[in-house]
């Protein structure tokens, strides 16, 4: 087996741009913050380097807030809770909030909206044991949307297009038994809009099978039926047009897109426009790319989520971050995230990122290409809040330009954003080693003092005339480097 230290040293002696310590990942590569592990003299730094004004480097990028978690509390007051938080979120750099499915569900005042019954009941009809939804009244929802808009934030509605719940029982000749497929004013659809029967669900006289549902098969809407299309997105009083033109929603998060064909999303977006993102719960980037191509919509980047979970938690190996991910080929269509309402309530440890690794994962998505999503429970966690604000500020300023992985091994990952114009870009350094790490890399900055804009390091290295600079990462942490004034 090749000796890794000798191999790296041979690269150094051969004139490679990367200049490391030639010490591998053994204990002699773990140093105190005051040590220089390369032995290369550094140009003395000014005693008080002046940080860049990140506000003056606004790159136009923003982040989305997932504005809920599973089983939010307090019940009946969630829309008002969000209305109070929206101004602060806007100031922090959020430009969209994604809210849960806003319509009345079968579980009434306990429903998180994913057991949708009446698409047009926003908390203003008495059915399923309550007038208000779990989140509040229609008036409170309308106030939230208006408050968000006045703070330059778009509101993204969660849209459940396949499975319905809470209808009345009726004989279904296509299944030869009774099914809960009757939705009318007396049976789970008090609005009287988009009444449904068994003919609107699979199977029926038009479609004999369900092409994609994994659950709720008896009440899975058949999107091939013209009247279903009319009520969902085509007619002027369709779900899509009512939500946009009457309620004021700005975009769509499509729930469980594995349950219906991608052309449905494509036609919906062609009918009403707005931002959209699909929940294709799959870690294979090729599956995500194929769905994006067919639907014309961005997708949540589950490929990056799972690579972060594998590298930080499951296998503790940062070289996994060199793997294929959606953002690497489709940065404009990759909505990245580190947690959501499903992953955080999932008992499967491979479906969530541990709290101790959350900030490293956020540092990754907030410095790499893609459109990052912040999870409500993380942002409102006082342990994380200030740190997330700093990361969002860095994302909205320095996280720009082409991406280059400078170094990756089991416990280190170094990535560079090359900047654009007068924006210098950044270098991200993540370490899962138990000691402070330093590594010399090739930057785009010559003879300039750097600082860590994440505030995790007090080290102030200076690059040489060729841009080589020694940066550090704290033990089991990260740092984000750029130039000073």
């Amino acid at each position: 087996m090749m000796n890794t230290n000798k191999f790296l040293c041979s690269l150094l002696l051969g004139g490679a741009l990367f200049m490391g310590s030639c010490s591998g990942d053994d204990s002699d590569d773990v140093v105190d913050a005051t040590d220089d592990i390369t032995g290369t003299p550094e140009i003395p730094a000014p005693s008080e380097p002046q940080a860049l004004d990140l506000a003056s480097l606004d790159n136009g990028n923003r982040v989305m807030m997932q504005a809920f978690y599973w089983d939010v509390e307090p019940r009946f007051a969630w829309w008002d809770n969000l209305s109070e938080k929206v101004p602060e979120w806007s100031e922090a750099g959020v430009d969209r909030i994604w809210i849960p499915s806003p319509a009345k569900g079968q579980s009434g005042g306990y429903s998180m909206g994913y057991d949708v019954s009446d698409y047009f009941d926003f908390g203003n009809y008495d059915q399923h044991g309550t007038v208000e939804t779990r989140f509040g009244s229609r008036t409170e929802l309308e106030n939230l949307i208006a408050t968000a808009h006045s703070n330059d934030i778009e509101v993204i509605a969660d849209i459940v297009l396949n499975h319905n719940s809470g209808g009345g029982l009726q004989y279904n000749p296509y299944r030869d038994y009774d099914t809960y497929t009757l939705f009318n004013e007396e049976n789970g659809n008090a609005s009287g809009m988009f009444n449904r029967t068994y003919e609107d669900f699979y199977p029926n006289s038009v479609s004999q099978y369900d092409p994609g549902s994994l659950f709720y098969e008896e009440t899975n809407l058949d999107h091939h039926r013209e009247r279903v299309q009319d009520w969902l997105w085509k007619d002027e009083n369709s779900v899509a047009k009512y939500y946009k033109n009457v309620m004021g929603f700005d975009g769509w998060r499509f729930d469980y897109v594995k349950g219906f064909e991608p052309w449905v999303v494509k036609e919906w977006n062609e009918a009403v426009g707005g931002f959209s993102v699909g929940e294709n719960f799959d870690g294979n980037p090729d599956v995500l790319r194929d769905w994006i191509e067919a639907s014309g919509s961005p997708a949540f980047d589950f490929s990056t989520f799972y690579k972060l979970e594998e590298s930080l938690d499951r296998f503790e190996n940062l070289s996994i971050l060199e793997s294929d991910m959606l953002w690497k080929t489709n940065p404009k269509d990759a909505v990245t995230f580190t947690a959501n309402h499903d992953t955080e309530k999932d008992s499967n440890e491979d479906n969530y990122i541990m709290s101790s690794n959350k900030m490293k994962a956020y540092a990754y998505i907030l410095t790499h290409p893609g459109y990052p999503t912040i999870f409500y429970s993380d942002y409102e966690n006082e342990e994380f809040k200030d740190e997330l604000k700093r990361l969002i500020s860095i994302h909205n300023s320095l996280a720009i330009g082409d991406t280059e992985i400078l170094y990756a091994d089991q416990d280190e990952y170094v990535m560079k954003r090359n900047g654009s114009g007068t924006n210098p870009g950044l270098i991200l350094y993540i370490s899962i080693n138990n000691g402070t790490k330093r590594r010399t890399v090739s930057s785009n900055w010559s003879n300039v003092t750097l600082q860590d804009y994440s505030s995790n390091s007090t080290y102030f290295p200076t690059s040489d005339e060729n841009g080589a600079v020694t940066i550090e990462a704290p033990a089991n942490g990260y740092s984000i480097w750029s130039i000073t004034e």
Side-chain angles (χ1 to χ4, degrees):
M1 180 179 296
M2 178 181 294
N3 184 297
T4 304
N5 291 340
K6 290 182 179 179
F7 176 67
L8 291 176
C9 287
S10 67
L11 284 179
L12 177 59
L13 294 173
L17 283 176
F18 166 75
M19 296 187 294
S21 66
C22 299
S23 62
D25 292 306
D26 298 325
S27 60
D28 59 352
D29 197 17
V30 181
V31 298
D32 293 331
T34 55
D35 291 342
D36 177 8
I37 63 174
T38 66
T40 303
E42 295 186 15
I43 300 171
S47 58
E48 294 183 2
Q50 296 298 306
L52 297 173
D53 176 12
L54 297 189
S56 69
L57 295 171
D58 190 336
N59 58 26
N61 296 324
R62 294 294 183 268
V63 302
M64 181 163 66
M65 178 74 72
Q66 179 179 356
F68 64 100
Y69 55 91
W70 197 254
D71 288 344
V72 297
E73 296 288 349
R75 291 190 303 121
F76 309 120
W78 193 249
W79 299 145
D80 285 344
N81 171 57
L82 298 184
S83 294
E84 293 175 0
K85 295 183 180 298
V86 156
E88 178 197 322
W89 291 351
S90 176
E91 185 177 353
V94 173
D95 68 346
R96 292 187 178 101
I97 58 170
W98 155 32
I99 67 170
S101 178
K104 186 71 64 62
Q106 180 181 11
S107 302
Y110 293 91
S111 171
M112 283 298 295
Y114 296 96
D115 54 346
V116 62
S117 179
D118 187 339
Y119 285 97
F120 297 91
D121 180 359
F122 301 97
N124 50 305
Y125 292 96
D126 189 355
Q127 58 183 333
H128 297 306
T130 181
V131 174
E132 295 189 353
T133 67
R134 183 187 190 107
F135 315 111
S137 69
R138 174 172 177 152
T139 299
E140 291 163 351
L141 172 59
E142 291 172 330
N143 177 64
L144 167 61
I145 295 171
T147 301
H149 289 168
S150 68
N151 284 276
D152 298 320
I153 288 181
E154 293 187 349
V155 183
I156 308 305
D158 209 315
I159 301 296
V160 181
L161 289 184
N162 62 321
H163 51 273
N164 291 174
S165 303
L169 201 62
Q170 64 177 170
Y171 176 70
N172 187 334
Y174 301 104
R175 294 186 180 273
D176 195 24
Y177 57 82
D178 291 344
T179 55
Y180 290 94
T181 47
L182 178 61
F183 291 82
N184 56 25
E185 289 86 336
E186 293 77 34
N187 295 276
N189 200 55
S191 70
M193 302 174 71
F194 193 17
N195 286 336
R196 287 143 277 165
T197 71
Y198 56 76
E199 279 286 0
D200 298 307
F201 302 96
Y202 289 107
N204 53 54
S205 58
V206 175
S207 304
Q208 298 305 308
Y209 66 97
D210 181 346
S213 177
L214 301 178
F215 56 94
Y216 292 98
E217 66 174 23
E218 292 179 353
T219 53
N220 194 23
L221 284 168
D222 179 6
H223 302 96
H224 295 93
R225 290 188 63 82
E226 191 68 25
R227 77 174 303 273
V228 172
Q229 295 178 19
D230 289 344
W231 270 111
L232 286 181
W233 67 84
K234 287 185 175 180
D235 286 353
E236 287 308 306
N237 61 344
S238 65
V239 174
K241 293 180 180 177
Y242 192 95
Y243 277 44
K244 180 180 181 181
N245 300 329
V246 178
M247 297 302 295
F249 286 108
D250 306 286
W252 328 102
R253 181 266 188 184
F254 294 102
D255 179 64
Y256 188 54
V257 299
K258 287 182 179 291
F260 53 94
E261 297 94 330
W263 62 262
V264 173
V265 170
K266 193 176 189 70
E267 289 202 9
W268 175 294
N269 285 334
E270 288 173 351
V272 294
F275 172 83
S276 75
V277 57
E279 183 212 21
N280 196 327
F281 210 126
D282 201 305
N284 184 336
D286 287 332
V287 170
L288 301 177
R289 284 188 277 261
D290 288 346
W291 185 85
I292 289 168
E293 178 67 24
S295 69
S297 170
F300 280 110
D301 191 353
F302 280 90
S303 63
T304 295
F305 168 76
Y306 279 113
K307 291 308 174 190
L308 286 168
E309 187 279 323
E310 291 171 5
S311 62
L312 294 171
D313 287 356
R314 199 183 320 179
F315 304 121
E316 297 183 346
N317 184 350
L318 296 185
S319 67
I320 291 172
L321 296 177
E322 295 184 287
S323 304
D324 186 20
M325 303 178 213
L326 179 62
W327 71 260
K328 293 186 178 183
T329 56
N330 299 66
K332 293 182 179 179
D333 294 321
V335 180
T336 53
F337 66 100
T338 68
N340 64 34
H341 60 295
D342 285 323
T343 65
E344 291 294 296
K345 71 180 174 66
D346 198 327
S347 59
N348 182 352
E349 65 181 13
D350 293 341
N351 275 342
Y352 63 85
I353 295 171
M354 292 189 301
S355 178
S356 59
N357 287 321
K358 276 279 184 73
M359 290 302 101
K360 292 190 286 294
Y362 273 114
Y364 183 95
I365 68 169
L366 287 162
T367 54
H368 286 69
Y371 181 39
T373 303
I374 311 299
F375 185 48
Y376 177 96
S377 297
D378 292 334
Y379 187 88
E380 294 300 326
N381 181 341
E382 290 302 320
E383 181 182 350
F384 297 154
K385 193 169 190 175
D386 289 342
E387 194 168 352
L388 279 172
K389 284 184 176 180
R390 284 195 298 272
L391 286 171
I392 293 170
S393 176
I394 291 168
H395 170 268
N396 294 357
S397 55
L398 297 171
I400 191 170
D402 293 338
T403 307
E404 180 183 353
I405 297 177
L406 300 179
Y407 184 80
D409 66 8
Q410 182 166 338
D411 61 0
E412 291 178 81
Y413 175 84
V414 187
M415 179 278 297
K416 176 171 67 174
R417 295 295 297 272
N418 284 317
S420 177
T422 59
N423 191 316
L426 58 78
I427 296 176
L428 168 70
Y429 190 180
I430 301 176
S431 171
I432 56 174
N433 194 282
N434 289 328
T436 299
K437 300 281 287 188
R438 285 191 182 176
R439 188 161 294 280
T440 302
V441 296
S442 177
S443 76
N444 298 335
W445 314 307
S446 300
N447 297 323
V448 63
T449 299
L450 276 58
Q451 80 169 54
D452 171 23
Y453 282 82
S454 73
S455 301
N456 290 328
S457 171
T458 57
Y459 181 50
F460 291 94
T462 299
S463 60
D464 68 16
E465 66 275 9
N466 298 313
V469 62
T470 301
I471 56 176
E472 78 171 20
N476 198 26
Y478 67 90
S479 51
I480 301 173
W481 302 91
S482 193
I483 63 173
T484 55
E485 294 284 7

